[in-house]
Amino acid sequence: MKAILTLGIVLSLLIISASAQVPPIELIEAPPTEEQREEQIEICTQNLIAIGKSIQAYLKVNGDFPEWLSDLYHPRYLPDPDILICPADRVGGRAVFPRNIDPKMPVSYGYQFPSKHRERVQENRDMYGNVVPLVRCRHHGNEEFHCLNLNYAFNVKRSFSIWEATPEDLYESREEAIAAIEAGLQQQPDNERLSDHAYPALARLYIETGKPEKVEGLVNLFKSNISPNYPRHYLTLSTMLEMLERNEDILLLFMRLEKQDPNDRGVLRKLAEIHQELGNTELAGNTEKGLNLYRC
Ligand SMILES: [Zn+2]
């Protein structure tokens, strides 16, 4: 009897101690250390360079870019499929953006040149040259950069996700970026899709490299080529006028827009802000009141 009781106590203790074993060991993967992160970036960079070489080999034989990176998986172009997997990829061989996910096999990289995007990408290349990303890895996101990019010149550069906002990241220097965007804008000054990044980026680069006098000409080029009918365009113009500290011109711009559409809340908000900055407190208050009335 005593032996049975003792066995019962031992079993109970075993059950209690087993249920106390939390958390389970598997599934929770620790984030990489700084050293591991750097190593992953290095391996990924080498992968991208190898992918670039494979694309060049593919181009030579086929006279065109592949439709997807998985098309490179052929002994002739890419003997090792592991090159298509980034060591920082924690989602099992997938690009981060759904539209970039390779349909045929696990690929960590976002390919930017499938046929349905080629027209848009070609416009980007006409504007910025061969620095435009061809293959992007988004698995290393951190404060310094979001993407590793293989470009059309088959070099690897780091950039933020929206590289168009800081295109200089893709060039060797700011001067090189300026020369390329100047040439691009000469070729397509009226490209409305690209204008909202290209013009203000060039204006900012002019200022940062000590050529603020060139911004004036850029503003005029913008005004004579881009329709002011879309909010994003007049915001682009106002961004450039802000760089020149031309507050009165910004005021005139937004007063004109208010006349066109007195209920445009974005315009009213900006107008109140400009009045405030110019010290027109009463006008700022009246515009704010208009905004509030509209809200009711
Ligand atoms: Zn990577």
Side-chain angles (χ1 to χ4, degrees):
M1 182 65 177
K2 198 178 173 187
I4 293 169
L5 268 177
T6 311
L7 182 64
I9 291 165
V10 169
L11 278 174
S12 307
L13 282 173
L14 277 175
I15 290 164
I16 290 164
S17 76
S19 64
Q21 280 174 8
V22 284
I25 311 150
E26 83 298 352
L27 295 176
I28 303 167
E29 209 180 317
T33 62
E34 191 55 32
E35 201 179 323
Q36 286 167 331
R37 206 175 71 83
E38 287 301 323
E39 199 182 326
Q40 289 172 342
I41 292 170
E42 179 54 32
I43 294 170
C44 184
T45 303
Q46 294 308 320
N47 282 356
L48 285 167
I49 290 168
I51 291 169
K53 284 186 180 151
S54 304
I55 293 175
Q56 282 173 287
Y58 186 98
L59 268 167
K60 230 180 219 173
V61 175
N62 299 281
D64 197 5
F65 284 84
E67 178 64 14
W68 290 98
L69 291 182
S70 51
D71 295 338
L72 299 172
Y73 183 45
H74 181 285
R76 189 181 294 173
Y77 311 116
L78 189 76
D80 182 2
D82 285 352
I83 286 168
L84 296 176
I85 302 297
C86 167
D89 176 355
R90 294 175 145 209
V91 289
R94 266 182 298 144
V96 172
F97 282 174
R99 72 171 186 199
N100 294 139
I101 293 175
D102 198 288
K104 296 176 200 161
M105 63 188 278
V107 176
S108 306
Y109 299 96
Y111 183 55
Q112 310 292 300
F113 209 46
S115 47
K116 61 181 173 183
H117 298 144
R118 287 190 179 188
E119 205 177 313
R120 285 167 70 97
V121 173
Q122 191 52 51
E123 281 180 5
N124 284 344
R125 291 179 69 188
D126 290 341
M127 179 68 79
Y128 297 97
N130 278 340
V131 300
V132 170
L134 167 62
V135 181
R136 310 189 87 186
C137 182
R138 295 176 183 271
H139 294 289
H140 310 270
N142 62 79
E143 281 175 12
E144 288 156 29
F145 70 94
H146 301 152
C147 300
L148 284 176
N149 310 289
L150 175 74
N151 64 25
Y152 287 82
F154 303 104
N155 298 316
V156 178
K157 292 277 181 193
R158 300 172 183 195
S159 78
F160 290 110
S161 187
I162 302 174
W163 58 266
E164 295 93 330
T166 48
E168 65 271 28
D169 292 342
L170 303 179
Y171 297 88
E172 293 303 316
S173 66
R174 283 180 157 80
E175 284 71 21
E176 201 184 295
I178 288 173
I181 304 169
E182 278 178 344
L185 281 177
Q186 226 167 17
Q187 203 182 326
Q188 38 179 345
D190 53 352
N191 186 318
E192 297 204 348
R193 184 176 68 79
L194 299 181
S195 65
D196 296 312
H197 280 304
Y199 278 95
L202 184 55
R204 176 179 52 75
L205 287 166
Y206 279 149
I207 290 168
E208 287 173 4
T209 52
K211 304 180 195 89
E213 70 284 355
K214 288 197 155 194
V215 181
E216 188 75 46
L218 195 61
V219 167
N220 292 335
L221 188 70
F222 181 87
K223 279 185 180 167
S224 52
N225 283 285
I226 301 296
S227 151
N229 292 337
Y230 297 98
R232 61 177 203 274
H233 296 332
Y234 60 67
L235 287 174
T236 299
L237 179 56
S238 111
T239 301
M240 288 194 284
L241 292 172
E242 270 171 38
M243 289 182 201
L244 293 170
E245 296 177 358
R246 277 170 40 184
N247 289 339
E248 295 290 343
D249 287 346
I250 302 173
L251 180 63
L252 288 176
L253 169 69
F254 279 87
M255 282 170 72
R256 211 167 54 235
L257 291 165
E258 188 198 14
K259 264 189 197 153
Q260 277 172 25
D261 180 2
N263 292 328
D264 186 326
R265 294 180 62 188
V267 168
L268 289 176
R269 201 174 297 120
K270 185 73 187 174
L271 208 46
E273 205 180 291
I274 302 164
H275 281 315
Q276 196 68 47
E277 270 174 33
L278 290 172
N280 306 331
T281 320
E282 199 178 329
L283 284 170
N286 288 342
T287 314
E288 278 287 350
K289 265 185 216 158
L291 253 174
N292 290 336
L293 275 176
Y294 181 66
R295 223 171 263 146
C296 298

